[in-house]
Amino acid sequence: MSRLACSAALGVLLIASCGKTPDAPDTEVTQGAELPVGETQLVVDPEAIADVPQHLEVTKDYFVGSASIDDSLFEIAPDIAATLVEDARGRLEAMDADALAYKEADPEYFNPYSLSIQWTLKAAAGDLISLEGFTAAYSGGAHGNYGTDARIYSLQNGKQVSLSDLLTDPAGAMAESLPFVLSDIAQQRTEKVGGGASAQTFRAETADAVSADTILSGELGLVASTQAGTFGGFVVHFAPYEIGSYAEGAYKAVVPQSVFGDFLKPEYAGLFAGGPVTED
């Protein structure tokens, strides 16, 4: 599907889209609201999806924001793409309102806010897809912050899927995966920070912040495999401050499917093979 961008004004949003501009949501939204997982299969209106923008942009003297959704996601999962757009729209509108309120309340100390949201399709196999989201925000202070989100969806029903849903024994899978995550992050910190600290020291510090429970409840996605049409493992993301200082930045650890593959449910085992394709 090829989409050409055109400009339209809608309240606080400048939306690049094709076709008519969708109406703003009627319900109140809060910044950082999570996507609804849903209990039933999503019903898609083809005409409504055709009008959903792939890029949202806000340009104000007190707030600049943008959101973009991977074009390929509109190709294979338009209902999921549309939900991501509406979630991003709500977050932009909420931060716009927060920025305006702060500016009016304390103009002397106010600095313009900013928010950038991006969703990318990272891997697909069978009826599962894995998305990665990147968010960068500034709302005053010495610096902004950023983080990476990850979500797994079923194309069969449009529902969000957790890694636990794919496993026969999540606790057992994490018992095998946790040491790998701790060692991987420790090695990354050693290379990034250097100094007198050893990998063993960094591993112990990481273990204070990361557990099997935090991995399973964290930002988890699936990664592409060296074997086409399969997943090569899972990736867990940690935002700045979750592991180390802001100066260290974000961390992510990719766990090969060979580490936890024995714990996959039979219906998902065939979707995992080979080794993970990693990115910088």
Side-chain angles (χ1 to χ4, degrees), residues 108-131:
E108 182 178 355
Y109 292 98
F110 174 77
N111 288 313
Y113 284 18
S114 66
L115 175 64
S116 176
I117 302 167
Q118 184 176 13
W119 282 99
T120 305
L121 176 64
K122 302 300 290 186
D127 73 335
L128 298 180
I129 60 172
S130 184
L131 310 180

mmCIF file with all atom_site columns, all heavy atoms in Angstrom, residues 108-131:
data_model
loop_
_atom_site.group_PDB
_atom_site.id
_atom_site.type_symbol
_atom_site.label_atom_id
_atom_site.label_alt_id
_atom_site.label_comp_id
_atom_site.label_asym_id
_atom_site.label_entity_id
_atom_site.label_seq_id
_atom_site.pdbx_PDB_ins_code
_atom_site.Cartn_x
_atom_site.Cartn_y
_atom_site.Cartn_z
_atom_site.occupancy
_atom_site.B_iso_or_equiv
_atom_site.pdbx_formal_charge
_atom_site.auth_seq_id
_atom_site.auth_comp_id
_atom_site.auth_asym_id
_atom_site.auth_atom_id
_atom_site.pdbx_PDB_model_num
ATOM 1   N N   . GLU A 1 108 ? 7.561  32.340  33.346 1.00 0.00 ? 108 GLU A N   1
ATOM 2   C CA  . GLU A 1 108 ? 8.956  32.737  33.546 1.00 0.00 ? 108 GLU A CA  1
ATOM 3   C C   . GLU A 1 108 ? 9.895  31.529  33.513 1.00 0.00 ? 108 GLU A C   1
ATOM 4   O O   . GLU A 1 108 ? 11.021 31.617  33.008 1.00 0.00 ? 108 GLU A O   1
ATOM 5   C CB  . GLU A 1 108 ? 9.106  33.466  34.876 1.00 0.00 ? 108 GLU A CB  1
ATOM 6   C CG  . GLU A 1 108 ? 10.522 33.948  35.148 1.00 0.00 ? 108 GLU A CG  1
ATOM 7   C CD  . GLU A 1 108 ? 10.641 34.710  36.455 1.00 0.00 ? 108 GLU A CD  1
ATOM 8   O OE1 . GLU A 1 108 ? 9.600  34.944  37.116 1.00 0.00 ? 108 GLU A OE1 1
ATOM 9   O OE2 . GLU A 1 108 ? 11.774 35.077  36.821 1.00 0.00 ? 108 GLU A OE2 1
ATOM 10  N N   . TYR A 1 109 ? 9.433  30.407  34.056 1.00 0.00 ? 109 TYR A N   1
ATOM 11  C CA  . TYR A 1 109 ? 10.293 29.237  34.146 1.00 0.00 ? 109 TYR A CA  1
ATOM 12  C C   . TYR A 1 109 ? 9.957  28.162  33.110 1.00 0.00 ? 109 TYR A C   1
ATOM 13  O O   . TYR A 1 109 ? 10.618 27.128  33.046 1.00 0.00 ? 109 TYR A O   1
ATOM 14  C CB  . TYR A 1 109 ? 10.200 28.618  35.545 1.00 0.00 ? 109 TYR A CB  1
ATOM 15  C CG  . TYR A 1 109 ? 10.804 29.492  36.607 1.00 0.00 ? 109 TYR A CG  1
ATOM 16  C CD1 . TYR A 1 109 ? 9.995  30.325  37.382 1.00 0.00 ? 109 TYR A CD1 1
ATOM 17  C CD2 . TYR A 1 109 ? 12.177 29.518  36.829 1.00 0.00 ? 109 TYR A CD2 1
ATOM 18  C CE1 . TYR A 1 109 ? 10.545 31.157  38.365 1.00 0.00 ? 109 TYR A CE1 1
ATOM 19  C CE2 . TYR A 1 109 ? 12.743 30.335  37.803 1.00 0.00 ? 109 TYR A CE2 1
ATOM 20  C CZ  . TYR A 1 109 ? 11.917 31.150  38.562 1.00 0.00 ? 109 TYR A CZ  1
ATOM 21  O OH  . TYR A 1 109 ? 12.464 31.958  39.513 1.00 0.00 ? 109 TYR A OH  1
ATOM 22  N N   . PHE A 1 110 ? 8.953  28.422  32.320 1.00 0.00 ? 110 PHE A N   1
ATOM 23  C CA  . PHE A 1 110 ? 8.522  27.413  31.361 1.00 0.00 ? 110 PHE A CA  1
ATOM 24  C C   . PHE A 1 110 ? 9.494  27.271  30.198 1.00 0.00 ? 110 PHE A C   1
ATOM 25  O O   . PHE A 1 110 ? 9.992  28.261  29.653 1.00 0.00 ? 110 PHE A O   1
ATOM 26  C CB  . PHE A 1 110 ? 7.131  27.767  30.817 1.00 0.00 ? 110 PHE A CB  1
ATOM 27  C CG  . PHE A 1 110 ? 6.661  26.856  29.726 1.00 0.00 ? 110 PHE A CG  1
ATOM 28  C CD1 . PHE A 1 110 ? 6.189  25.589  30.007 1.00 0.00 ? 110 PHE A CD1 1
ATOM 29  C CD2 . PHE A 1 110 ? 6.726  27.266  28.393 1.00 0.00 ? 110 PHE A CD2 1
ATOM 30  C CE1 . PHE A 1 110 ? 5.769  24.734  29.002 1.00 0.00 ? 110 PHE A CE1 1
ATOM 31  C CE2 . PHE A 1 110 ? 6.299  26.417  27.377 1.00 0.00 ? 110 PHE A CE2 1
ATOM 32  C CZ  . PHE A 1 110 ? 5.824  25.157  27.681 1.00 0.00 ? 110 PHE A CZ  1
ATOM 33  N N   . ASN A 1 111 ? 9.753  26.029  29.826 1.00 0.00 ? 111 ASN A N   1
ATOM 34  C CA  . ASN A 1 111 ? 10.477 25.708  28.604 1.00 0.00 ? 111 ASN A CA  1
ATOM 35  C C   . ASN A 1 111 ? 9.570  24.836  27.744 1.00 0.00 ? 111 ASN A C   1
ATOM 36  O O   . ASN A 1 111 ? 8.865  23.972  28.269 1.00 0.00 ? 111 ASN A O   1
ATOM 37  C CB  . ASN A 1 111 ? 11.774 24.954  28.900 1.00 0.00 ? 111 ASN A CB  1
ATOM 38  C CG  . ASN A 1 111 ? 12.835 25.847  29.512 1.00 0.00 ? 111 ASN A CG  1
ATOM 39  O OD1 . ASN A 1 111 ? 13.082 26.950  29.027 1.00 0.00 ? 111 ASN A OD1 1
ATOM 40  N ND2 . ASN A 1 111 ? 13.452 25.386  30.588 1.00 0.00 ? 111 ASN A ND2 1
ATOM 41  N N   . PRO A 1 112 ? 9.567  25.027  26.428 1.00 0.00 ? 112 PRO A N   1
ATOM 42  C CA  . PRO A 1 112 ? 8.669  24.252  25.567 1.00 0.00 ? 112 PRO A CA  1
ATOM 43  C C   . PRO A 1 112 ? 8.851  22.751  25.739 1.00 0.00 ? 112 PRO A C   1
ATOM 44  O O   . PRO A 1 112 ? 9.964  22.248  25.876 1.00 0.00 ? 112 PRO A O   1
ATOM 45  C CB  . PRO A 1 112 ? 9.062  24.713  24.159 1.00 0.00 ? 112 PRO A CB  1
ATOM 46  C CG  . PRO A 1 112 ? 9.617  26.080  24.352 1.00 0.00 ? 112 PRO A CG  1
ATOM 47  C CD  . PRO A 1 112 ? 10.337 26.030  25.665 1.00 0.00 ? 112 PRO A CD  1
ATOM 48  N N   . TYR A 1 113 ? 7.741  22.033  25.725 1.00 0.00 ? 113 TYR A N   1
ATOM 49  C CA  . TYR A 1 113 ? 7.750  20.586  25.810 1.00 0.00 ? 113 TYR A CA  1
ATOM 50  C C   . TYR A 1 113 ? 7.955  19.984  24.414 1.00 0.00 ? 113 TYR A C   1
ATOM 51  O O   . TYR A 1 113 ? 7.745  20.639  23.396 1.00 0.00 ? 113 TYR A O   1
ATOM 52  C CB  . TYR A 1 113 ? 6.402  20.070  26.324 1.00 0.00 ? 113 TYR A CB  1
ATOM 53  C CG  . TYR A 1 113 ? 6.150  20.229  27.801 1.00 0.00 ? 113 TYR A CG  1
ATOM 54  C CD1 . TYR A 1 113 ? 6.880  21.115  28.592 1.00 0.00 ? 113 TYR A CD1 1
ATOM 55  C CD2 . TYR A 1 113 ? 5.137  19.494  28.416 1.00 0.00 ? 113 TYR A CD2 1
ATOM 56  C CE1 . TYR A 1 113 ? 6.619  21.253  29.937 1.00 0.00 ? 113 TYR A CE1 1
ATOM 57  C CE2 . TYR A 1 113 ? 4.865  19.634  29.765 1.00 0.00 ? 113 TYR A CE2 1
ATOM 58  C CZ  . TYR A 1 113 ? 5.611  20.514  30.524 1.00 0.00 ? 113 TYR A CZ  1
ATOM 59  O OH  . TYR A 1 113 ? 5.351  20.648  31.860 1.00 0.00 ? 113 TYR A OH  1
ATOM 60  N N   . SER A 1 114 ? 8.335  18.712  24.406 1.00 0.00 ? 114 SER A N   1
ATOM 61  C CA  . SER A 1 114 ? 8.421  17.979  23.140 1.00 0.00 ? 114 SER A CA  1
ATOM 62  C C   . SER A 1 114 ? 8.120  16.507  23.385 1.00 0.00 ? 114 SER A C   1
ATOM 63  O O   . SER A 1 114 ? 8.347  15.987  24.477 1.00 0.00 ? 114 SER A O   1
ATOM 64  C CB  . SER A 1 114 ? 9.808  18.123  22.498 1.00 0.00 ? 114 SER A CB  1
ATOM 65  O OG  . SER A 1 114 ? 10.801 17.511  23.291 1.00 0.00 ? 114 SER A OG  1
ATOM 66  N N   . LEU A 1 115 ? 7.594  15.855  22.350 1.00 0.00 ? 115 LEU A N   1
ATOM 67  C CA  . LEU A 1 115 ? 7.282  14.435  22.431 1.00 0.00 ? 115 LEU A CA  1
ATOM 68  C C   . LEU A 1 115 ? 7.376  13.838  21.039 1.00 0.00 ? 115 LEU A C   1
ATOM 69  O O   . LEU A 1 115 ? 6.788  14.359  20.091 1.00 0.00 ? 115 LEU A O   1
ATOM 70  C CB  . LEU A 1 115 ? 5.871  14.211  22.991 1.00 0.00 ? 115 LEU A CB  1
ATOM 71  C CG  . LEU A 1 115 ? 5.356  12.768  23.035 1.00 0.00 ? 115 LEU A CG  1
ATOM 72  C CD1 . LEU A 1 115 ? 6.202  11.920  23.983 1.00 0.00 ? 115 LEU A CD1 1
ATOM 73  C CD2 . LEU A 1 115 ? 3.889  12.732  23.453 1.00 0.00 ? 115 LEU A CD2 1
ATOM 74  N N   . SER A 1 116 ? 8.120  12.748  20.920 1.00 0.00 ? 116 SER A N   1
ATOM 75  C CA  . SER A 1 116 ? 8.255  12.045  19.644 1.00 0.00 ? 116 SER A CA  1
ATOM 76  C C   . SER A 1 116 ? 7.973  10.564  19.864 1.00 0.00 ? 116 SER A C   1
ATOM 77  O O   . SER A 1 116 ? 8.523  9.955   20.782 1.00 0.00 ? 116 SER A O   1
ATOM 78  C CB  . SER A 1 116 ? 9.670  12.230  19.084 1.00 0.00 ? 116 SER A CB  1
ATOM 79  O OG  . SER A 1 116 ? 9.845  11.485  17.899 1.00 0.00 ? 116 SER A OG  1
ATOM 80  N N   . ILE A 1 117 ? 7.112  10.002  19.019 1.00 0.00 ? 117 ILE A N   1
ATOM 81  C CA  . ILE A 1 117 ? 6.708  8.597   19.142 1.00 0.00 ? 117 ILE A CA  1
ATOM 82  C C   . ILE A 1 117 ? 6.892  7.927   17.788 1.00 0.00 ? 117 ILE A C   1
ATOM 83  O O   . ILE A 1 117 ? 6.480  8.469   16.763 1.00 0.00 ? 117 ILE A O   1
ATOM 84  C CB  . ILE A 1 117 ? 5.231  8.473   19.568 1.00 0.00 ? 117 ILE A CB  1
ATOM 85  C CG1 . ILE A 1 117 ? 4.991  9.192   20.893 1.00 0.00 ? 117 ILE A CG1 1
ATOM 86  C CG2 . ILE A 1 117 ? 4.813  7.006   19.667 1.00 0.00 ? 117 ILE A CG2 1
ATOM 87  C CD1 . ILE A 1 117 ? 3.527  9.375   21.225 1.00 0.00 ? 117 ILE A CD1 1
ATOM 88  N N   . GLN A 1 118 ? 7.498  6.756   17.795 1.00 0.00 ? 118 GLN A N   1
ATOM 89  C CA  . GLN A 1 118 ? 7.693  6.023   16.539 1.00 0.00 ? 118 GLN A CA  1
ATOM 90  C C   . GLN A 1 118 ? 7.481  4.534   16.781 1.00 0.00 ? 118 GLN A C   1
ATOM 91  O O   . GLN A 1 118 ? 8.012  3.965   17.737 1.00 0.00 ? 118 GLN A O   1
ATOM 92  C CB  . GLN A 1 118 ? 9.093  6.264   15.986 1.00 0.00 ? 118 GLN A CB  1
ATOM 93  C CG  . GLN A 1 118 ? 9.341  5.608   14.638 1.00 0.00 ? 118 GLN A CG  1
ATOM 94  C CD  . GLN A 1 118 ? 10.709 5.958   14.066 1.00 0.00 ? 118 GLN A CD  1
ATOM 95  O OE1 . GLN A 1 118 ? 11.570 6.483   14.766 1.00 0.00 ? 118 GLN A OE1 1
ATOM 96  N NE2 . GLN A 1 118 ? 10.904 5.666   12.805 1.00 0.00 ? 118 GLN A NE2 1
ATOM 97  N N   . TRP A 1 119 ? 6.696  3.895   15.899 1.00 0.00 ? 119 TRP A N   1
ATOM 98  C CA  . TRP A 1 119 ? 6.475  2.458   15.974 1.00 0.00 ? 119 TRP A CA  1
ATOM 99  C C   . TRP A 1 119 ? 6.968  1.784   14.704 1.00 0.00 ? 119 TRP A C   1
ATOM 100 O O   . TRP A 1 119 ? 6.675  2.240   13.597 1.00 0.00 ? 119 TRP A O   1
ATOM 101 C CB  . TRP A 1 119 ? 4.985  2.153   16.168 1.00 0.00 ? 119 TRP A CB  1
ATOM 102 C CG  . TRP A 1 119 ? 4.522  2.360   17.567 1.00 0.00 ? 119 TRP A CG  1
ATOM 103 C CD1 . TRP A 1 119 ? 3.876  3.457   18.066 1.00 0.00 ? 119 TRP A CD1 1
ATOM 104 C CD2 . TRP A 1 119 ? 4.678  1.452   18.664 1.00 0.00 ? 119 TRP A CD2 1
ATOM 105 N NE1 . TRP A 1 119 ? 3.626  3.289   19.407 1.00 0.00 ? 119 TRP A NE1 1
ATOM 106 C CE2 . TRP A 1 119 ? 4.102  2.071   19.797 1.00 0.00 ? 119 TRP A CE2 1
ATOM 107 C CE3 . TRP A 1 119 ? 5.251  0.188   18.797 1.00 0.00 ? 119 TRP A CE3 1
ATOM 108 C CZ2 . TRP A 1 119 ? 4.079  1.448   21.051 1.00 0.00 ? 119 TRP A CZ2 1
ATOM 109 C CZ3 . TRP A 1 119 ? 5.229  -0.421  20.038 1.00 0.00 ? 119 TRP A CZ3 1
ATOM 110 C CH2 . TRP A 1 119 ? 4.655  0.203   21.140 1.00 0.00 ? 119 TRP A CH2 1
ATOM 111 N N   . THR A 1 120 ? 7.721  0.692   14.884 1.00 0.00 ? 120 THR A N   1
ATOM 112 C CA  . THR A 1 120 ? 8.320  -0.026  13.758 1.00 0.00 ? 120 THR A CA  1
ATOM 113 C C   . THR A 1 120 ? 8.022  -1.512  13.862 1.00 0.00 ? 120 THR A C   1
ATOM 114 O O   . THR A 1 120 ? 8.087  -2.093  14.957 1.00 0.00 ? 120 THR A O   1
ATOM 115 C CB  . THR A 1 120 ? 9.858  0.174   13.751 1.00 0.00 ? 120 THR A CB  1
ATOM 116 O OG1 . THR A 1 120 ? 10.151 1.578   13.748 1.00 0.00 ? 120 THR A OG1 1
ATOM 117 C CG2 . THR A 1 120 ? 10.472 -0.470  12.519 1.00 0.00 ? 120 THR A CG2 1
ATOM 118 N N   . LEU A 1 121 ? 7.705  -2.119  12.755 1.00 0.00 ? 121 LEU A N   1
ATOM 119 C CA  . LEU A 1 121 ? 7.542  -3.575  12.692 1.00 0.00 ? 121 LEU A CA  1
ATOM 120 C C   . LEU A 1 121 ? 8.922  -4.208  12.641 1.00 0.00 ? 121 LEU A C   1
ATOM 121 O O   . LEU A 1 121 ? 9.698  -3.956  11.720 1.00 0.00 ? 121 LEU A O   1
ATOM 122 C CB  . LEU A 1 121 ? 6.730  -3.956  11.455 1.00 0.00 ? 121 LEU A CB  1
ATOM 123 C CG  . LEU A 1 121 ? 6.539  -5.453  11.186 1.00 0.00 ? 121 LEU A CG  1
ATOM 124 C CD1 . LEU A 1 121 ? 5.733  -6.096  12.295 1.00 0.00 ? 121 LEU A CD1 1
ATOM 125 C CD2 . LEU A 1 121 ? 5.857  -5.659  9.830  1.00 0.00 ? 121 LEU A CD2 1
ATOM 126 N N   . LYS A 1 122 ? 9.241  -5.044  13.629 1.00 0.00 ? 122 LYS A N   1
ATOM 127 C CA  . LYS A 1 122 ? 10.588 -5.596  13.741 1.00 0.00 ? 122 LYS A CA  1
ATOM 128 C C   . LYS A 1 122 ? 10.700 -7.045  13.307 1.00 0.00 ? 122 LYS A C   1
ATOM 129 O O   . LYS A 1 122 ? 11.747 -7.473  12.817 1.00 0.00 ? 122 LYS A O   1
ATOM 130 C CB  . LYS A 1 122 ? 11.089 -5.472  15.189 1.00 0.00 ? 122 LYS A CB  1
ATOM 131 C CG  . LYS A 1 122 ? 11.110 -4.063  15.733 1.00 0.00 ? 122 LYS A CG  1
ATOM 132 C CD  . LYS A 1 122 ? 12.007 -3.138  14.934 1.00 0.00 ? 122 LYS A CD  1
ATOM 133 C CE  . LYS A 1 122 ? 13.462 -3.455  15.098 1.00 0.00 ? 122 LYS A CE  1
ATOM 134 N NZ  . LYS A 1 122 ? 14.334 -2.466  14.424 1.00 0.00 ? 122 LYS A NZ  1
ATOM 135 N N   . ALA A 1 123 ? 9.662  -7.847  13.511 1.00 0.00 ? 123 ALA A N   1
ATOM 136 C CA  . ALA A 1 123 ? 9.754  -9.262  13.170 1.00 0.00 ? 123 ALA A CA  1
ATOM 137 C C   . ALA A 1 123 ? 8.356  -9.840  13.027 1.00 0.00 ? 123 ALA A C   1
ATOM 138 O O   . ALA A 1 123 ? 7.396  -9.359  13.637 1.00 0.00 ? 123 ALA A O   1
ATOM 139 C CB  . ALA A 1 123 ? 10.534 -10.025 14.246 1.00 0.00 ? 123 ALA A CB  1
ATOM 140 N N   . ALA A 1 124 ? 8.251  -10.905 12.209 1.00 0.00 ? 124 ALA A N   1
ATOM 141 C CA  . ALA A 1 124 ? 6.967  -11.575 12.002 1.00 0.00 ? 124 ALA A CA  1
ATOM 142 C C   . ALA A 1 124 ? 7.205  -13.039 11.688 1.00 0.00 ? 124 ALA A C   1
ATOM 143 O O   . ALA A 1 124 ? 8.154  -13.401 10.991 1.00 0.00 ? 124 ALA A O   1
ATOM 144 C CB  . ALA A 1 124 ? 6.192  -10.910 10.861 1.00 0.00 ? 124 ALA A CB  1
ATOM 145 N N   . ALA A 1 125 ? 6.344  -13.893 12.212 1.00 0.00 ? 125 ALA A N   1
ATOM 146 C CA  . ALA A 1 125 ? 6.388  -15.331 11.918 1.00 0.00 ? 125 ALA A CA  1
ATOM 147 C C   . ALA A 1 125 ? 5.034  -15.908 12.263 1.00 0.00 ? 125 ALA A C   1
ATOM 148 O O   . ALA A 1 125 ? 4.448  -15.569 13.298 1.00 0.00 ? 125 ALA A O   1
ATOM 149 C CB  . ALA A 1 125 ? 7.494  -16.033 12.715 1.00 0.00 ? 125 ALA A CB  1
ATOM 150 N N   . GLY A 1 126 ? 4.525  -16.792 11.419 1.00 0.00 ? 126 GLY A N   1
ATOM 151 C CA  . GLY A 1 126 ? 3.197  -17.338 11.659 1.00 0.00 ? 126 GLY A CA  1
ATOM 152 C C   . GLY A 1 126 ? 2.185  -16.220 11.736 1.00 0.00 ? 126 GLY A C   1
ATOM 153 O O   . GLY A 1 126 ? 2.150  -15.336 10.882 1.00 0.00 ? 126 GLY A O   1
ATOM 154 N N   . ASP A 1 127 ? 1.362  -16.231 12.785 1.00 0.00 ? 127 ASP A N   1
ATOM 155 C CA  . ASP A 1 127 ? 0.380  -15.159 12.941 1.00 0.00 ? 127 ASP A CA  1
ATOM 156 C C   . ASP A 1 127 ? 0.807  -14.161 14.008 1.00 0.00 ? 127 ASP A C   1
ATOM 157 O O   . ASP A 1 127 ? -0.005 -13.364 14.486 1.00 0.00 ? 127 ASP A O   1
ATOM 158 C CB  . ASP A 1 127 ? -1.002 -15.734 13.294 1.00 0.00 ? 127 ASP A CB  1
ATOM 159 C CG  . ASP A 1 127 ? -1.088 -16.251 14.724 1.00 0.00 ? 127 ASP A CG  1
ATOM 160 O OD1 . ASP A 1 127 ? -0.026 -16.619 15.281 1.00 0.00 ? 127 ASP A OD1 1
ATOM 161 O OD2 . ASP A 1 127 ? -2.193 -16.293 15.289 1.00 0.00 ? 127 ASP A OD2 1
ATOM 162 N N   . LEU A 1 128 ? 2.092  -14.156 14.378 1.00 0.00 ? 128 LEU A N   1
ATOM 163 C CA  . LEU A 1 128 ? 2.602  -13.227 15.375 1.00 0.00 ? 128 LEU A CA  1
ATOM 164 C C   . LEU A 1 128 ? 3.480  -12.152 14.735 1.00 0.00 ? 128 LEU A C   1
ATOM 165 O O   . LEU A 1 128 ? 4.244  -12.435 13.813 1.00 0.00 ? 128 LEU A O   1
ATOM 166 C CB  . LEU A 1 128 ? 3.431  -13.962 16.432 1.00 0.00 ? 128 LEU A CB  1
ATOM 167 C CG  . LEU A 1 128 ? 2.727  -15.022 17.280 1.00 0.00 ? 128 LEU A CG  1
ATOM 168 C CD1 . LEU A 1 128 ? 3.712  -15.625 18.270 1.00 0.00 ? 128 LEU A CD1 1
ATOM 169 C CD2 . LEU A 1 128 ? 1.520  -14.434 18.010 1.00 0.00 ? 128 LEU A CD2 1
ATOM 170 N N   . ILE A 1 129 ? 3.346  -10.935 15.229 1.00 0.00 ? 129 ILE A N   1
ATOM 171 C CA  . ILE A 1 129 ? 4.234  -9.852  14.827 1.00 0.00 ? 129 ILE A CA  1
ATOM 172 C C   . ILE A 1 129 ? 4.796  -9.196  16.083 1.00 0.00 ? 129 ILE A C   1
ATOM 173 O O   . ILE A 1 129 ? 4.170  -9.233  17.145 1.00 0.00 ? 129 ILE A O   1
ATOM 174 C CB  . ILE A 1 129 ? 3.525  -8.788  13.960 1.00 0.00 ? 129 ILE A CB  1
ATOM 175 C CG1 . ILE A 1 129 ? 2.358  -8.146  14.728 1.00 0.00 ? 129 ILE A CG1 1
ATOM 176 C CG2 . ILE A 1 129 ? 3.062  -9.387  12.643 1.00 0.00 ? 129 ILE A CG2 1
ATOM 177 C CD1 . ILE A 1 129 ? 1.739  -6.957  13.999 1.00 0.00 ? 129 ILE A CD1 1
ATOM 178 N N   . SER A 1 130 ? 5.974  -8.618  15.951 1.00 0.00 ? 130 SER A N   1
ATOM 179 C CA  . SER A 1 130 ? 6.591  -7.926  17.073 1.00 0.00 ? 130 SER A CA  1
ATOM 180 C C   . SER A 1 130 ? 6.894  -6.495  16.652 1.00 0.00 ? 130 SER A C   1
ATOM 181 O O   . SER A 1 130 ? 7.499  -6.253  15.606 1.00 0.00 ? 130 SER A O   1
ATOM 182 C CB  . SER A 1 130 ? 7.878  -8.631  17.505 1.00 0.00 ? 130 SER A CB  1
ATOM 183 O OG  . SER A 1 130 ? 8.428  -8.006  18.654 1.00 0.00 ? 130 SER A OG  1
ATOM 184 N N   . LEU A 1 131 ? 6.467  -5.549  17.474 1.00 0.00 ? 131 LEU A N   1
ATOM 185 C CA  . LEU A 1 131 ? 6.646  -4.127  17.198 1.00 0.00 ? 131 LEU A CA  1
ATOM 186 C C   . LEU A 1 131 ? 7.593  -3.515  18.212 1.00 0.00 ? 131 LEU A C   1
ATOM 187 O O   . LEU A 1 131 ? 7.659  -3.947  19.362 1.00 0.00 ? 131 LEU A O   1
ATOM 188 C CB  . LEU A 1 131 ? 5.312  -3.387  17.273 1.00 0.00 ? 131 LEU A CB  1
ATOM 189 C CG  . LEU A 1 131 ? 4.135  -3.972  16.497 1.00 0.00 ? 131 LEU A CG  1
ATOM 190 C CD1 . LEU A 1 131 ? 2.907  -3.092  16.686 1.00 0.00 ? 131 LEU A CD1 1
ATOM 191 C CD2 . LEU A 1 131 ? 4.472  -4.112  15.031 1.00 0.00 ? 131 LEU A CD2 1
#
